Amino acid sequence: MVPPVILSVPPTIATTKCFYFSSLIVHRIPPLTLNVVCILTVLGIGAGVDAANLHISPPGVALERPEATQQVVIHREDATGRLVDITRDVKIRIDPPKIAVVDDRGLVRPRANGVGTIIIQFNEHTQSIPITVSRLDNPLPVSFRNEVIPILTKSGCNSGGCHGKAEGQNGFKLSIFGFDPHADHEALVMESRGRRISTGQPTGSLVFQKASARTPHGGGRKIEPGSYRDRRLLRWISEGAKFDAAQDPSTKIVGIEIAPQQQILLDGETQQIRVDTIDAQGNHRCVTNETEYESNAAAIANVDSRGLIQARNIPGEATILVRHLGHVATCRITLPRPGVTFPRPAENNFIDALAWDKLERLGIEPSGRSDDAMFLRRVYLDTIGTLPTPQQAREFLNDPATNKRATLIDQLLNRDEYVDFWTMKWLDVLRADQLKISPQGAVAMQRWLRRGFAENRTFDKLATDLLTVQGNTSAEGPGSFYKILNKPDEAARSISQLLLGVRIECAQCHHHPSERWTQSDYVGLAGFFTGLKLKKLPNGEQAVVSFGGKDLPHPRSGEVVPTHALGAEPADFSRVSDRRRVFAEWLTSAQNPFFAKAIANRLWAHYLGRGLIEPIDDIRGTNPATNVPLMQALASHMREVGYDMKAFTRTLLNSRAYQLSSTTLPGNADDQQNFSHFIQKSLPAEVLLDAICQSTGVAEDFNGWPAGYRAIQVWDNRMPSYFFRIFGRPVRASVCECERSGEPSISQALHLLNAPEIFEKLTHRNGRARQLAASEMTSAEIIGELYLSTLSRLPIKAEKELMLQAFVESDRRSATEDVLWAILNSKEFVFNH
């Protein structure tokens, strides 16, 4: 074992530092050394590669517009059969050179009509593909819909931060991401007395001048003068700035095609994406240079504005989102660490098998199993939001039983604190803000949740209760949820995010930029909540009633959209008066592809530190899970256990993946998505305050609440508390768990170090420190008791020797308080690891 380094801790409580102690014990980790030559040999790189085995895409080039471009991508096979992009490593020339030009990234542009050959030379080998350039003197008119809108999108003109925002910018408004090309055409050509476009003097057009900053533009230069965008925009204006001269349905873009759709890259390698549009006739046109690209994991693989992917040095997977004219596709990049082998850890259940499979493919060695103390503290805080007592910690650590972890998990799931903790968490996401739903409404929701968790009511039944509730909002139940969501579309999008993990809000005004959902889907989902009303009762309270309802009109066309669930057929309401019942039946049915996945991913994220899908409520085809087989297996398991959250949690907690150590290895320290080690998490504000109270032995005095109440039991989210505010307690303004802040700050560190409230607990006459100092325990025994009450472990020899110095330099009482203060300010205390 690598010897530890002891981090000095100030012996007196008066000494302050404006940062957390990183930990009480910091381990030296030797740098990882890899035999690069061996790795390259294993992969076949630079050894016996057939240079003649090239793959050129596309097999031929045809350019029919003056501004047309064609991305050429050249691959070769390495000794393992893996395709490697060498486009920027080959020599490319065109014969005859007068017809076209190609840059060093393989992008071909036309010069003159003609037929020729593109010649690719790699080492001593040469291959060629044909090229045809035509119609440069008589091209098809520029299509505003298909060719100008992409210019506005690629340049950021119609983004939410520019002219695409709701109120526009400086009197000029475009539809966000070009979702309404007719309105955009009218804004450019007709509005502002037509001063933006001058077909008589195209180069004098305001849009042409400002986009290229030839005339001062508040947004700066968006289009380079002389570029293909600049020339296409000018040609469109010169042709009369028509919407779509062809007016031919066959020219409508029906999809995009990308290549490659998946690729394996090694550290530092690159891969060029090629993108084609496909029209209704099946014609392809290269739009690689006109498309938007975005990586969901830039630390693993980044992508530039022209679709060139750059692999980093962190193993894992990244998804490149490709977006063009409302159509989306993805390229999945896998970045393994080659040459890494490790003994496969033991498997406690199916979770481990699928997790180890992924780590083996990526070459990421998992950390070892957590020791008993680390597991004990972790599982207590994760499951019941409460620290074990010193006696509970001592009993578990001394228990020789081989099944003691499984036994402890069962015990925790039956504790009252489990009910308190998970009630608190769901009060947050159900927006139980007592200012919005009234104190009575918050209490009613708390009682409903408490009863549900105490009785282990399955999640599908809790969801059904939420969706079909009627009656007094102050009666025990979730009725007050609808006091906030009192409009059909608000209810639809919040419930979609909460129970389906689908953020459909973007489809309110336009086609979802990253998914298939349209405005029709948004309106169709809202139709389930049109019969919902709040009725005032004689006593002044309100009741939820739902009957009737109607299908809603499309916000743009005005046509009535049949009510339907996401991806489902129109709903049948012939058997019910409450439309929500039909939605609840679909929600919990086997045909729903989202429900089981959403709750499984939410629970996984809570216990393992991040979701398999992140953000946890953004499930879509363009945001796949980091481990797709594992995500599918977890969703299936959720259905198999009948949405029994305790049974599902038991499976998670018993897995070896959950029980891994948080101590990283040189080969997995940079892994943040594949669960090769346990991810350290900040303690929620309420849990941290309770832990401080429990460790010091002094309960918090909550204003207006009976003595002895713990923070996780307090339903009043508006109760004044500086501690809650700086440690990120949510105000319950949305159904997103992201509202709870887990980021550490200087304010938090200073509060733990200097707050009078903390000092009072440390020095309280009935507190733990005073009691231990007055006991007959030895100094070493006092230190051991403090460690057990805070970190759920005994100090190692070096820590004990360090802490004993406080007893030499100060009196017994001060030394006990100082040691406890030092531990409370350690990273090991304020984080769950």
Side-chain angles (χ1 to χ4, degrees), residues 709-742:
Y709 262 74
R710 303 179 64 230
I712 62 172
Q713 296 175 301
V714 176
W715 54 261
D716 185 0
N717 65 306
R718 295 289 180 170
M719 184 181 61
S721 170
Y722 180 73
F723 188 96
F724 286 163
R725 181 161 63 83
I726 65 170
F727 281 93
R729 188 187 195 190
V731 296
R732 299 176 178 173
S734 77
V735 297
C736 183
E737 289 200 32
C738 58
E739 191 181 321
R740 181 180 287 277
S741 172

Side-chain angles (χ1 to χ4, degrees), residues 426 430 448-449 451-453 455-469 477-478 482 499 580-581 584-585 587-589 595-596 599 638 641-645:
W426 279 93
L430 290 177
W448 168 69
L449 285 170
R451 182 184 294 272
F453 285 114
E455 297 175 352
N456 194 30
R457 190 163 175 79
T458 58
F459 187 72
D460 57 336
K461 292 180 179 178
L462 287 173
T464 299
D465 292 345
L466 178 67
L467 287 172
T468 60
V469 62
Y482 294 97
L499 299 181
R580 296 176 302 162
R581 291 193 174 276
E585 289 176 3
L587 180 83
T588 57
S589 70
F595 184 58
I599 183 59
M638 179 62 75
V641 299
Y643 295 95
D644 182 329
M645 287 188 286

